[in-house]
Amino acid sequence: IPTVLRHTASTVTTADWQGKRAPGEDRQLTAADVVFNHMRKHQQVAADDREQVLAECLFNNTVTREDGENTLDYQEFWDVDQNGNQLTQGNFSLEAGPTGYAIASMEKAKTQLKSKMGGWRNRVQGYYLFAGIDLFYGILQSPDVQQAVLYSKVGADAMFPATLSGYESFRLGNVTVILDDSDLHANYIDSSTGYLIPRFGGVAEGSSAPFTMFNCPASRDMLAASGPVYGEYHYQYHDEWMTTRVLSESSYVRLRLRPDWVPGT
């Protein structure tokens, strides 16, 4: 299985800080300021990249290592000559809007999903529904959702969505519906698309969960490579002129063992 390897490098010289004022402060910029800013940018790049990598695996069943090469489709990888297309990613129908019955159709989708899980259904602790903007507000407009709010069967956030890490969301039973308008997910979720994701808990140490990720040893630095394996490495080098090279590395592999457990609508 191909791993993802990312390497980011920046160079800091005297021209980047000498004779410059630190933004918002009455002092000269220092080399340490510039190095810190580069490392912070590297961390954000690594976080965004990991988010895109996870979205590709979760919503699209695929792994792309570098520049479109070494693409792996988990649906084909696990299903080849074994299960007769039993692992095909399914679809579910979600009725939304003024004439829809969102709660009933969502419960039906959950029942269909649990029928495929075997013993893993005992470890389901809830669900996430990543929804495009039209689907999200269509669910809010469904008569059964509005009635559930009226009779206090669901929380008030189904009328006035709460904010979950910068994203609008509300809960219907054990389903957290999230308005997913992230640019990082735009290749997979449009305005009317949604994915129902089970959330598992109680996984024994050493076991592989249906959706998981492993950090891989990949640092080019011998000292870092000889130590513990981390998802990211951030470090710096100096040459004979004390010019600083700021470097960041990350390497990981994400696994989706059951493509059929993420139905889309």
Side-chain angles (χ1 to χ4, degrees):
I1 296 177
T3 63
V4 173
L5 175 63
R6 296 289 187 268
H7 182 84
T8 306
S10 301
T11 302
V12 179
T13 69
T14 54
D16 294 313
W17 57 272
Q18 204 168 44
K20 298 182 179 181
R21 182 172 61 85
E25 300 183 53
D26 188 18
R27 65 174 179 86
Q28 178 177 291
L29 198 65
T30 67
D33 293 330
V34 180
V35 169
F36 174 78
N37 289 335
H38 277 298
M39 282 194 167
R40 185 169 57 181
K41 291 177 182 177
H42 288 191
Q43 285 182 317
Q44 187 59 56
V45 168
D48 289 348
D49 183 70
R50 182 169 291 219
E51 180 69 18
Q52 288 182 309
V53 163
L54 290 172
E56 179 191 19
C57 181
L58 192 61
F59 301 137
N60 202 49
N61 285 310
T62 55
V63 175
T64 304
R65 187 177 182 224
E66 297 281 351
D67 301 322
E69 299 178 358
N70 299 316
T71 299
L72 171 69
D73 187 321
Y74 276 130
Q75 187 164 292
E76 296 179 0
F77 184 82
W78 302 127
D79 206 38
V80 171
D81 297 327
Q82 295 181 39
N83 301 295
N85 295 323
Q86 293 178 22
L87 300 185
T88 301
Q89 181 170 8
N91 295 307
F92 69 99
S93 177
L94 181 56
E95 300 179 17
T99 61
Y101 292 92
I103 294 178
S105 55
M106 198 177 301
E107 289 299 315
K108 182 179 179 181
K110 287 163 51 181
T111 300
Q112 293 172 342
L113 184 55
K114 285 188 290 186
S115 68
K116 302 179 180 181
M117 291 183 179
W120 274 97
R121 66 186 299 163
N122 298 326
R123 295 183 176 89
V124 175
Q125 295 188 340
Y127 299 84
Y128 292 108
L129 177 62
F130 292 86
I133 187 168
D134 291 342
L135 179 61
F136 182 87
Y137 287 107
I139 295 172
L140 287 178
Q141 294 171 358
S142 299
D144 55 350
V145 173
Q146 295 183 355
Q147 275 197 328
V149 174
L150 179 63
Y151 292 104
S152 300
K153 299 300 182 182
V154 298
D157 59 350
M159 186 65 69
F160 304 101
T163 299
L164 177 66
S165 298
Y167 293 87
E168 302 301 301
S169 67
F170 60 90
R171 288 181 60 86
L172 293 177
N174 64 348
V175 180
T176 301
V177 184
I178 300 171
L179 173 54
D180 192 344
D181 55 355
S182 171
D183 291 339
L184 300 176
H185 301 172
N187 289 336
Y188 316 107
I189 298 180
D190 60 27
S191 62
S192 59
T193 302
Y195 292 93
L196 184 63
I197 315 291
R199 178 170 59 88
F200 297 101
V203 180
E205 186 176 353
S207 300
S208 293
F211 317 120
T212 190
M213 183 165 66
F214 296 100
N215 295 326
C216 303
S219 180
R220 302 182 189 184
D221 181 87
M222 290 287 287
L223 184 61
S226 63
V229 176
Y230 297 108
E232 298 175 23
Y233 297 92
H234 301 273
Y235 51 92
Q236 54 184 296
Y237 288 124
H238 304 286
D239 65 11
E240 65 272 20
W241 300 104
M242 294 304 291
T243 297
T244 303
R245 289 273 289 168
V246 183
L247 301 109
S248 299
E249 297 174 313
S250 60
S251 181
Y252 42 84
V253 60
R254 57 268 190 244
L255 296 175
R256 181 170 163 184
L257 302 180
R258 291 299 301 256
D260 55 331
W261 289 4
V262 183
T265 183

